[in-house]
Amino acid sequence: MITELPFENVYRHGFARVAACTIPVAVADPATNAEAVLVAARECDAEGVAVAVFPELCLSGYAIDDLVMQDPLLDAVEAAVARVVAASVDLLPVLLVGAPLRHGNRLYNCAVVVHRGRILGVAPKSYLPTYREFYEQRWYARGDDTAGQHITVAGETVPFGADLLFDAVDVPGLTLHTEVCEDVWVPIPPSSPAALAGATVLANLSGSPITIGRADDRSLLCQSQSLRCLAAYVYAAAGQGESTNDVSWDGQTMIYEGGQLLATTERFPDGPRRSVADVDLDRLRQDRLRQGTFEDNRRTAGTPFRTVPFELAPPAVDLGLRRALDRFPFVPDDPARLAQDCYEAFNIQVSGLVQRLEAIGGPRPVLGVSGGLDSTHALLVIARAMDRMGRPRSDILAYTLPGFATSEKTKRNAIALAEAVGATIQEIDIRPAASEMLSRMDHPFASGEPVHDVTFENVQAGLRTDYLFRLANQNNGIVIGTGDLSEIALGWSTYGVGDQMSHYSVNPGVPKTLIQHVIRWVISSGELSAATIEVLQAVLDTEISPELVPAGQDGRMQSTEDRIGPYNLHDFTLYHVLRFGFRPSKIAFLAAKAWGDPDAGSWPAGYPEGARPSYDLITVARWMEVFLQRFFGFAQFKRTAIPNGPKVSPAGSLSPRGDWRAPSDGNARAWLAELHAAVPEAFVGD
């Protein structure tokens, strides 16, 4: 983190802006091509780009055949390199430019790495294709044996070899490696050992003429290399202007990060194009930190590299954020991907429950239904499990357990839903037992005082769970828990004899923001009756509430989100804490970008248009403080004792036997201090 930069600056928060550029090439005209490179380079500079990648042999043209052996052409290439170097003095980006260069007794197909008026180094192409339309070994020497060498270019003697890394000393995590076209098509690309040696941004200067299907092949290679190497992969292919003697060109550019496509451009462009994206260096570093096999692979397959340091000096201004950012990181915006995720989430839950029930002799599922999201979803999961096991849904023992604040609406929804899915439903009023307990405890509520403290709430929550466990004893059943991932993160449950406990839980891997979409997916399956769909829609439209405290004078019932904050923001923070271990300041920066403008970006399919909130940085920071206090400083003792339940999200689970292991007596001081220092205006007067 570069703390001297303003909070709004992407480089402060572990990002580096990269560009994959394709330009119109003038065949065998290095001077013209150098000017085209510089036009694009200046535009990249204006956008705050740190690394700009250009196509293979872009200073000469790739498809010039024997012309590349002519001294006038090669002299002009060196002059073009000198021109680019001289003009780069005042430019921010590191420029990766393709050029044929003489070295020793041979000619090499090279990536020239230029920054602020000097050549940082030259990386030759390691693997030369000589099959089908390719004939590169006619002109060029392989560069795979050039480690440790130097080359003289445009009057400068600089490092030369396939063993070069370029490290930005003032941008933590920005370490660059470059390879050329065919290098990524071999079984072990040069970028693989480079990544093991520390490279985070892998660049490919490509010629690659186009044939049917080749663009998909390139994309697959770049995606898989970025995923396997836990790196960004920046790819720029030759396009307009290359000779079309016997092939054609499409100018494909793309940027991948950890297997995710960040940016691409149209193919067969008319004129220059570039993909620009902010690569998350923190994410790559954290992935490597967590995936210990990455370092193990370095120990067995790593090779030595030389590191060339340079200072980027990113501009201290607000550059915006150039990458897609999900408001709901657990919920894809793409409808097809969302449907796939809902299908997988639901079936993971169903399969887990089926396995547990069959393993312990097929007991009857016992469930408390409240008319809320979580118990509704759990009931749908249990019903599908019964179908898979060939058992009648009447084996499901559903209980509604109204207390002092249960509304008629939610109770009605709970009963209607249980009846609609074919479960056995029974109502047990817990108020007499709760009143007796409060009276025995000499609680003020028993004497008529309107004292609705945590004891008042937990007496009800505990009795509900106590009833369910005893009913399970009585009916050869097991209690199915309903608490979701978001509630577990926040510790929003009653410990022990309360909703924190069950025999087996189906929702612990599903966050609150995803559950509503899984329910919508179940509705869209076409398998439910109109009556069931009507009840499910009513549940989706009901405000989230524990219904433990009676409505106030305004008639409004108890609201969970009024008390602990919006699940939209809590799930956003949870994802980035659990999956990446990001600093609170970075998560706040991202959340403010994602949620600042409700009209910007995409929303998940089915999200109601009239209920699209926005949150500014101050609001984000204030609720993040609540999350940090609860997640790190309070709730772990509950998570340490949660029952079994399936992991669903790739972001992780909070089971102490799975992804998340933490001390029950930890604290949130380090996280809170980092947040308060980064956004002090949110906590003035605290």
Side-chain angles (χ1 to χ4, degrees):
M1 183 171 64
I2 312 173
T3 54
E4 60 268 22
L5 292 174
F7 183 84
E8 298 78 14
N9 187 283
V10 292
Y11 286 93
R12 170 177 173 145
H13 296 288
F15 294 97
R17 185 160 297 174
V18 300
C21 310
T22 190
I23 56 173
V25 169
V27 172
D29 187 354
T32 298
N33 293 331
E35 293 308 315
V37 166
L38 288 171
V39 168
R42 294 185 185 105
E43 292 172 349
C44 288
D45 173 75
E47 294 183 70
V49 169
V51 178
V53 181
F54 291 86
E56 179 180 12
L57 296 172
C58 62
L59 289 183
S60 61
Y62 176 85
I64 63 174
D65 297 336
D66 287 352
L67 296 183
V68 80
M69 307 293 285
Q70 296 285 312
D71 278 338
L73 184 282
L74 295 173
D75 291 344
V77 166
E78 292 230 9
V81 171
R83 167 68 180 135
V84 171
V85 171
S88 71
V89 170
D90 297 322
L91 300 180
L92 172 66
V94 178
L95 307 177
L96 279 59
V97 183
L101 295 177
R102 293 164 288 201
H103 178 61
N105 298 315
R106 293 299 306 271
L107 190 64
Y108 289 84
N109 179 344
C110 298
V112 184
V113 183
V114 177
H115 187 241
R116 295 199 185 275
R118 69 186 181 106
I119 300 174
L120 299 179
V122 175
K125 187 173 183 176
S126 291
Y127 300 100
L128 305 178
T130 307
Y131 55 87
R132 294 196 292 271
E133 66 265 35
F134 302 108
Y135 201 26
E136 289 190 25
Q137 289 189 40
R138 176 181 176 94
W139 309 293
Y140 304 108
R142 287 171 50 182
D144 58 336
D145 62 348
T146 54
Q149 298 185 25
H150 287 75
I151 188 174
T152 300
V153 185
E156 284 190 70
T157 300
V158 299
F160 176 77
D163 61 336
L164 296 177
L165 303 181
F166 304 93
D167 183 61
V169 295
D170 58 339
V171 180
L174 177 54
T175 303
L176 176 67
H177 175 265
T178 182
E179 59 191 8
V180 182
C181 200
E182 183 73 11
D183 290 344
V184 78
W185 292 77
V186 300
I188 305 177
S191 54
S192 293
L196 294 174
T200 53
V201 176
L202 312 176
N204 188 303
L205 294 75
S206 177
S208 190
I210 187 62
T211 55
I212 292 172
R214 184 171 288 174
D216 290 340
D217 293 342
R218 296 179 194 141
S219 298
L220 181 60
L221 286 169
C222 296
Q223 181 182 29
S224 61
Q225 190 66 353
S226 74
L227 180 62
R228 187 188 313 278
C229 292
L230 302 179
Y233 202 89
V234 187
Y235 181 95
Q240 186 180 17
E242 285 285 1
S243 172
T244 58
N245 273 3
D246 294 292
V247 290
S248 191
W249 315 84
D250 69 337
Q252 185 176 22
T253 71
M254 51 192 157
I255 301 168
Y256 279 91
E257 174 192 287
Q260 175 187 357
L261 180 64
L262 298 185
T264 188
T265 52
E266 82 223 55
R267 294 164 56 217
F268 307 101
D270 180 15
R273 295 290 189 276
R274 62 181 173 273
S275 298
V276 180
D278 292 331
V279 170
D280 194 338
L281 302 172
D282 284 345
R283 175 203 167 168
L284 301 175
R285 175 180 51 79
Q286 275 278 356
D287 278 350
R288 293 179 179 187
L289 189 70
R290 291 159 186 264
Q291 189 171 313
T293 50
F294 184 88
E295 175 65 12
D296 293 343
N297 192 219
R298 182 202 63 78
R299 293 173 62 244
T300 57
T303 57
F305 277 77
R306 289 177 287 168
T307 299
V308 180
F310 67 95
E311 185 175 346
L312 183 69
V317 296
D318 184 355
L319 297 166
L321 183 65
R322 297 288 292 271
R323 64 187 281 134
L325 188 58
D326 291 328
R327 290 179 175 86
F328 299 95
F330 290 106
V331 184
D333 294 330
D334 176 65
R337 181 68 218 189
L338 176 57
Q340 175 72 13
D341 283 12
C342 290
Y343 162 80
E344 291 186 348
F346 189 72
N347 282 283
I348 288 169
Q349 294 173 276
V350 171
S351 296
L353 179 58
V354 168
Q355 172 64 23
R356 178 54 57 94
L357 292 174
E358 290 181 339
I360 59 176
R364 302 181 75 178
V366 174
L367 177 72
V369 288
S370 66
L373 277 176
D374 293 345
S375 64
T376 294
H377 180 58
L379 182 55
L380 295 174
V381 169
I382 297 168
R384 183 63 59 86
M386 293 294 100
D387 296 345
R388 288 215 188 150
M389 297 174 71
R391 293 173 54 179
R393 290 185 175 184
S394 57
D395 276 2
I396 305 169
L397 303 181
Y399 296 90
T400 179
L401 302 150
F404 297 114
T406 302
S407 68
E408 283 301 316
K409 176 183 177 182
T410 55
K411 186 174 77 170
R412 185 170 60 250
N413 286 342
I415 294 172
L417 181 63
E419 291 175 343
V421 302
T424 301
I425 179 69
Q426 182 179 347
E427 178 181 341
I428 299 177
D429 190 341
I430 67 166
R431 286 174 294 183
S435 296
E436 174 68 15
M437 181 175 287
L438 290 167
S439 176
R440 294 284 185 178
M441 295 170 62
D442 199 24
H443 189 276
F445 180 81
S447 301
E449 297 183 40
V451 177
H452 306 136
D453 56 11
V454 67
T455 302
F456 174 81
E457 294 187 54
N458 284 349
V459 161
Q460 297 172 79
L463 277 170
R464 284 172 175 153
T465 303
D466 198 3
Y467 268 114
L468 292 174
F469 270 94
R470 304 295 76 80
L471 289 164
N473 295 154
Q474 186 180 32
N475 294 281
N476 186 32
I478 65 166
V479 178
I480 306 300
T482 65
D484 62 53
L485 184 66
S486 309
E487 293 179 340
I488 293 169
L490 293 161
W492 190 246
S493 61
T494 300
Y495 183 74
V497 184
D499 54 325
Q500 178 261 350
M501 187 47 62
S502 64
H503 289 114
Y504 182 80
S505 187
V506 293
N507 290 338
V510 187
K512 188 77 77 177
T513 50
L514 180 58
I515 279 183
Q516 59 182 299
H517 292 282
V518 181
I519 293 174
R520 290 190 181 100
W521 175 81
V522 174
I523 290 174
S524 70
S525 67
E527 300 177 8
L528 304 180
S529 67
T532 306
I533 293 173
E534 182 179 358
V535 178
L536 290 177
Q537 191 58 57
V539 171
L540 290 170
D541 295 338
T542 300
E543 184 173 10
I544 299 169
S545 171
E547 292 197 323
L548 293 171
V549 173
Q553 292 182 348
D554 59 0
R556 189 162 181 259
M557 69 181 192
Q558 184 183 18
S559 168
T560 297
E561 292 185 297
D562 284 352
R563 176 98 167 260
I564 61 173
Y567 280 112
N568 292 336
L569 291 181
H570 288 328
D571 279 3
F572 190 95
T573 301
L574 173 62
Y575 179 90
H576 291 94
V577 164
L578 188 60
R579 174 65 180 83
F580 299 120
F582 284 165
R583 298 177 181 88
S585 61
K586 177 167 184 166
I587 302 172
F589 168 81
L590 293 172
K593 290 287 187 184
W595 288 96
D597 181 359
D599 297 322
S602 301
W603 290 80
Y607 198 94
E609 289 191 19
R612 297 183 173 181
S614 63
Y615 310 103
D616 60 19
L617 178 62
I618 302 301
T619 303
V620 166
R622 296 289 292 190
W623 285 121
M624 185 178 292
E625 181 183 50
V626 172
F627 178 91
L628 298 175
Q629 287 171 333
R630 295 187 70 95
F631 184 82
F632 289 105
F634 161 68
Q636 183 57 41
F637 80 99
K638 298 183 181 182
R639 293 191 289 268
T640 298
I642 61 174
N644 294 155
K647 175 180 176 179
V648 173
S649 171
S653 75
L654 290 172
S655 167
R657 301 165 296 276
D659 291 54
W660 184 255
R661 304 173 194 200
S664 294
D665 49 4
N667 66 80
R669 287 190 288 272
W671 290 265
L672 291 170
E674 201 276 343
L675 176 65
H676 291 174
V679 197
E681 62 271 28
F683 308 102
V684 174
D686 285 6

